[in-house]
Amino acid sequence: MQDKVVRANLTRMIREERLFDKRDHVLVAVSGGQDSLHVLRWLTDNSLPADIQPIVSAAYINHQLRTDADAEQALVERVFAQTPNLASKTIRQLTWDAVPTTGVEELAREKRYEALVAIAREVGANAIVTAHHKGDQVETILYKLARGSRLTQLLGMAKKQQLQGDIDLIRPVLQLDKAMLGQLVNEPLVEWVEDYTNADETFARNRMRHTVVPALEEINEQTKDHVIAFADQLAALQKLASGSINVHVKALEDGRLDWRVDESVLLLVLQTWLTKKHVFAVKDSQLTQAIQLMRNPNVNRGFIDLGNGLQLERFENYLLLSRKE
């Protein structure tokens, strides 16, 4: 696809989905990698139409977990110095009470976003922009499918979502292949850092990227497009079903839910109810236990431990979420 077509399609999508416009101030989350550097250059090289050109700031978070962290930070400092039209540029180093040895990716992500939200508020930005692309989206969907996530999580990442209060998270290039990001910029990148941990297949996401997705593409080279289409169809079905599911949720809250309906329906109802309460780390096996508890005609009181100090509690016809005493 020609560069001008890629840019025109992206511009149209930004307008149609109202991702950002000239009234917005976005903070670009920058690493030393090609993806975020392409997005930073695209947003600052005066190639966007004036009506959707936001104010742009940039931030780099040094996790201080990799041996090349200092070299990457030095590269980003050079990039920031050479990038025009930046309202502000921030480099922040994370500190750790103890360097994590397990769950490193998730812990780093959590601390990174906490820092980005803080920086966004400091500089007056109302949105954080990341460089997640189509490949990242496919990996996310397949990874969550493999882990047994909720149906709503199989929709993948949203192009725009509320991150925290007054700060949005925007992924404007989510529809583009990684190879297409270079088509957005007027001048090609001359330097970047390859994160060596991305090649480490002890991390599940890296195995997905380097082994699983290529194997699927050997079966069908359009695998990525088909996975995205699948997620889009799920999103459409969710919209159609949301009204009915919410009726069942209201019945659950009122203590009049018919627990004889199909278990798969009840799982969706319970997942939706718990999501409303901002409870996400619940296994289907725990929800199945709750369904069995509510279906048991011989008891009117019982508990299901959810962990993290939470429990599901049956009280007569009601299923309640409570804290363990």
Side-chain angles (χ1 to χ4, degrees):
M1 191 181 296
Q2 294 182 345
D3 295 358
K4 63 181 181 181
V5 176
V6 172
R7 296 181 191 182
N9 288 343
L10 186 56
T11 295
R12 182 173 63 254
M13 184 275 295
I14 290 170
R15 287 186 176 127
E16 289 176 351
E17 304 203 18
R18 299 180 181 179
L19 296 190
F20 53 74
D21 59 33
K22 64 181 181 181
R23 298 168 295 181
D24 291 305
H25 183 170
V26 303
L27 177 72
V28 183
V30 176
S31 70
Q34 292 185 62
D35 301 343
S36 65
L37 294 180
H38 275 131
V39 169
L40 177 66
R41 180 165 293 188
W42 164 62
L43 287 171
T44 56
D45 68 1
N46 295 313
S47 62
L48 280 174
D51 65 305
I52 60 169
Q53 174 62 64
I55 299 169
V56 180
S57 290
Y60 166 76
I61 309 299
N62 185 343
H63 299 89
Q64 301 198 90
L65 293 173
R66 297 191 344 240
T67 57
D68 63 347
D70 290 341
E72 182 179 80
Q73 179 173 322
L75 166 67
V76 173
E77 288 172 349
R78 292 195 298 274
V79 169
F80 281 1
Q82 298 163 6
T83 301
N85 306 314
L86 277 180
S88 68
K89 34 200 163 186
T90 305
I91 291 178
R92 191 150 298 173
Q93 295 184 339
L94 298 182
T95 57
W96 302 87
D97 294 331
V99 176
T101 56
T102 61
V104 177
E105 286 184 311
E106 292 194 6
L107 287 171
R109 180 186 183 281
E110 183 178 328
K111 294 196 72 166
R112 177 169 68 252
Y113 275 100
E114 285 178 0
L116 288 170
V117 167
I119 295 168
R121 292 197 170 118
E122 290 169 13
V123 304
N126 62 292
I128 294 167
V129 167
T130 67
H132 291 104
H133 50 73
K134 183 189 290 185
D136 297 318
Q137 179 75 302
V138 170
E139 291 162 18
T140 296
I141 294 169
L142 292 176
Y143 179 63
K144 289 183 175 180
L145 179 63
R147 290 187 62 185
S149 298
R150 297 179 184 180
L151 182 62
T152 53
Q153 293 174 313
L154 298 181
L155 306 182
M157 298 177 283
K159 293 188 182 78
K160 184 174 183 178
Q161 68 186 79
Q162 186 180 59
L163 182 59
Q164 192 179 108
D166 53 339
I167 307 295
D168 288 333
L169 176 60
I170 301 174
R171 304 178 179 95
V173 296
L174 202 54
Q175 68 185 33
L176 300 182
D177 283 313
K178 178 183 179 74
M180 298 173 73
L181 300 185
Q183 296 180 262
L184 299 178
V185 300
N186 294 324
E187 297 292 334
L189 301 177
V190 295
E191 62 175 342
W192 60 86
V193 171
E194 295 287 352
D195 181 351
Y196 63 83
T197 64
N198 286 337
D200 184 355
E201 293 199 28
T202 59
F203 294 110
R205 282 186 175 273
N206 290 345
R207 290 201 302 277
M208 192 69 70
R209 179 180 307 130
H210 298 302
T211 302
V212 176
V213 173
L216 290 172
E217 287 180 317
E218 288 182 7
I219 298 171
N220 190 319
E221 61 184 14
Q222 294 182 305
T223 287
K224 289 180 181 177
D225 290 332
H226 292 166
V227 170
I228 299 296
F230 168 77
D232 290 342
Q233 290 175 35
L234 278 182
L237 286 172
Q238 184 188 38
K239 287 181 181 178
L240 288 172
S242 61
S244 177
I245 292 173
N246 288 332
V247 168
H248 283 78
V249 170
K250 183 65 167 62
L252 168 65
E253 294 170 339
D254 293 343
R256 52 182 178 80
L257 179 63
D258 183 357
W259 292 95
R260 296 170 299 177
V261 302
D262 190 87
E263 185 172 307
S264 60
V265 173
L266 292 174
L267 285 172
L268 283 175
V269 172
L270 291 175
Q271 289 169 358
T272 303
W273 174 61
L274 289 171
T275 297
K276 286 176 58 179
K277 295 179 176 295
H278 306 287
V279 176
F280 305 101
V282 179
K283 299 176 181 178
D284 281 356
S285 59
Q286 294 169 316
L287 299 183
T288 299
Q289 290 177 46
I291 293 170
Q292 293 170 348
L293 174 64
M294 296 303 295
R295 284 176 170 175
N296 189 336
N298 299 316
V299 299
N300 60 12
R301 193 77 188 275
F303 302 89
I304 305 296
D305 184 12
L306 300 181
N308 299 314
L310 294 175
Q311 63 185 5
L312 292 175
E313 174 184 354
R314 176 177 181 175
F315 179 71
E316 297 181 349
N317 293 329
Y318 290 87
L319 183 65
L320 309 170
L321 177 69
S322 60
R323 290 205 165 271
K324 296 178 67 176
E325 297 180 355

